[in-house]
Amino acid sequence: MSRSALITGITGQDGSYLAELLVSKSYEVHGLIRRASTFNTERIDHLYGDPHLSGVPIRLHYGDLSDGTGLRRVLELVKPDEVYNLGAQSHVRVSFDQPEYTADVVATGTLRLLEALRDYIATSGKQVRFYQAGSSEMFGAALPPQNEKTPFHPRSPYAVSKVAAHYFVQNYREAYGMFLCNGILFNHESPRRGETFVTRKITRALGRIKLGLQEKLYLGNLEAKRDWGFAGDYVQAMWLMLQQDQPDDYVVSTGESYSVRDFLESAFNYVDLKWQDYVEIDKRYFRPSEVDFLMGDSSKARQKLGWKPCVNFDSLLKMMVDHDLELAKREKTLINAGHKVICGGRW
Ligand code: NAP
Ligand code: GDP
């Protein structure tokens, strides 16, 4: 019998890579999807198909982390062996504009899912393993290198909410003996990264600038340093955490840190452009409180899980730029055919 997994946030960057990984391991993969007035399955369209047909690798179920009753129903329907809680309002800057909503989905949403899972385990007698998508943002102002023992100092409503979720998971593990793991993942990117996160915002704009479709790129703080890895590598770590004998918490990172300015410079150099000719600073992209320097120490994950990243900073950057040059070429074809394409201007 194949194992089944439920992924919240399956339509997001990580959800799509994780779904691919689990399908490749012959899991029956189920995903929670939010109702939207437009299609929101672009990242998983290659895995998803008409549910009336057999052989479709993933199944989607409407649900939302703000709706506990729905979460319970989905758990009862799917009967998962593993649950990956990746759903979140995941943008730090937006969390300053929508703090209550962010807390409701990220912190209370995790609690709702844990409560539903606790009851499901009690009634079904099934041992279900659970992964919580924690973030290096929880470390915030704590000095690098950050590891599992570093005290949290969150700097945004998003980070505070992730800290709450982290402690809910630890508390439920201690109180009820549930198999629950916190991943503390440092920033991870890919060609599927949301276009308002800084790396993708840069590579997306760069593709358009290179093809003459955009003149300027507006950014905020260029001095912040991040430990950027590849999302495809990081979902492996999520899965590995749930395959261990005991539940635990793990930092997942590359151990290398670069500034936004470094990323910008390397990306523009790669296509023979000077970023200074195109980039302007716009104060609205600054955060009310910033996280200056993240660099993870993932020794524990490397030793206990046997995990290590395969894609380094240069390869990640080139992968993203190459992808977005291709996208810009397609956009140019559309524009030449008379279509209107809107870009830029968001967080
Ligand atoms: P993402 O691309 O923004 O995807 C977020 C996912 O959550 C989407 O599928 C989204 O659905 C879903 N979602 C949003 N609000 C929801 C709600 N109320 N109920 C149910 N689902 C909801 O994020 P990601 O980069 O894949 O990250 C995955 C998880 O890891 C997130 O929890 C994030 O906070 C965390 N994390 C990410 C990083 C990183 O660098 N990427 C680092 C550390 C931790 P829609 O598609 O409908 O919007
Ligand atoms: P985060 O680490 O989860 O906040 O990921 P982001 O990719 O959103 O931001 C990484 C860093 O880039 C933060 O320190 C931001 O302040 C900085 N940054 C500079 N300009 C921008 C911008 O235009 N958009 C975003 N999203 N971040 C920016």
Side-chain angles (χ1 to χ4, degrees), residues 9-15 32 34 40 43 63-66 85-90 101 105 133-136 158 162 185-189 193 197:
I10 195 168
T11 54
Q13 170 190 253
D14 291 7
L32 198 72
R34 296 197 290 173
N40 55 358
R43 293 186 180 102
D64 197 299
L65 287 160
S66 62
N85 184 30
L86 311 185
Q89 189 303 92
S90 66
Y101 172 72
V105 172
S135 165
S136 55
Y158 166 79
K162 283 286 183 188
L185 272 54
F186 281 62
N187 296 51
H188 43 279
E189 321 292 309
R193 182 64 146 147
F197 294 92

Side-chain angles (χ1 to χ4, degrees), residues 90-93 135-137 158 187 189 193 196-199 201 217-222 224-226 228 260 285-287 290-292 294 346-347:
S90 66
H91 201 282
V92 171
R93 181 63 189 81
S135 165
S136 55
E137 287 292 319
Y158 166 79
N187 296 51
E189 321 292 309
R193 182 64 146 147
T196 58
F197 294 92
V198 77
T199 54
K201 185 170 168 184
L217 166 61
Y218 294 92
L219 292 173
N221 176 19
L222 304 186
K225 296 179 84 175
R226 291 290 182 275
W228 280 298
V260 174
Y285 297 119
F286 282 75
R287 280 103 196 253
E290 176 63 286
V291 171
D292 294 319
L294 294 175
R346 304 205 189 125
W347 299 121

Side-chain angles (χ1 to χ4, degrees), residues 10 15-16 19-20 23 43-49 55-59:
I10 195 168
S16 67
E20 278 171 9
V23 166
R43 293 186 180 102
I44 50 169
D45 278 344
H46 57 298
L47 298 172
Y48 181 60
V56 177
I58 60 174
R59 301 277 159 177

